[in-house]
């Protein structure tokens, strides 16, 4: 089923840095997306099960598990059809390869350009 507008798109942000998470939430809220934030991997997995997001923006450096594990669990679980985007401070080619191998659809290095982030979300519409 294809989404018709931004306000139908459910986005889960899994980010332990509260300032970064709130910046993403503000940007995405202002653009009309439905946004939920989780601050660690376990909360992200729980939120994903109840929210059934269309897109997950997941940090790789999380306090309780790494984002690669979270991405792999999401891809194998209830969110197998969601668009998974790794958002990380690790921007080397090996980091991108590792993210894609874990099941992410895209790898974005921080700081993420807002226009780039929005283009990535628009792919889902």
């Amino acid at each position: 089923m294809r989404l018709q507008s931004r306000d139908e798109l459910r986005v889960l942000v899994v980010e332990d840095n509260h300032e970064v998470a709130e910046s993403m939430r503000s940007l995405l809220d202002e653009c009309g997306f439905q946004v939920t934030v989780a601050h660690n991997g376990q909360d992200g997995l729980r939120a994903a099960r109840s929210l059934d997001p269309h897109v997950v923006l997941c940090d790789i450096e999380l306090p309780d598990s790494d984002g690669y594990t979270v991405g792999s669990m999401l891809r194998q679980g209830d969110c197998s059809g969601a668009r998974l985007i790794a958002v990380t401070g690790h921007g080397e080619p090996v980091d991108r390869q590792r993210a894609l191998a874990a099941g992410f659809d895209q790898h974005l290095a921080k700081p993420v350009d807002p226009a780039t982030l929005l283009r990535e979300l628009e792919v889902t519409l």
Side-chain angles (χ1 to χ4, degrees):
M1 181 173 147
R2 188 135 173 98
L3 301 173
Q4 300 300 312
S5 64
R6 287 181 172 183
D7 64 346
E8 293 179 276
L9 188 73
R10 293 183 302 276
V11 180
L12 173 60
V13 176
V14 183
E15 170 64 62
D16 64 317
N17 181 310
H18 289 259
E19 289 178 21
V20 172
E22 290 310 309
S23 290
M24 281 191 193
R25 181 199 306 262
S26 288
L27 171 67
L28 300 176
D29 275 344
E30 287 176 21
C31 292
F33 298 104
Q34 297 178 38
V35 184
T36 301
V37 172
H39 295 291
N40 63 57
Q42 291 305 309
D43 288 347
L45 291 169
R46 277 192 288 279
R49 280 191 292 275
S50 65
L51 178 65
D52 189 24
H54 298 107
V55 177
V56 178
L57 303 172
C58 186
D59 186 19
I60 296 300
E61 296 280 334
L62 296 169
D64 60 343
S65 62
D66 67 50
Y68 300 119
T69 302
V70 173
S72 179
M73 292 176 77
L74 289 170
R75 183 58 71 214
Q76 295 171 18
D78 297 332
C79 294
S80 61
R83 182 164 172 76
L84 303 182
I85 302 173
V87 180
T88 177
H90 302 282
E92 297 299 318
V94 69
D95 302 312
R96 177 179 169 71
Q97 291 169 351
R98 191 168 176 203
L100 297 176
F104 285 93
D105 297 296
Q106 184 58 276
H107 174 272
L108 300 176
K110 292 178 184 176
V112 177
D113 174 57
T116 300
L117 181 60
L118 293 175
R119 274 194 306 275
E120 288 297 326
L121 294 177
E122 293 287 339
V123 168
T124 309
L125 294 176

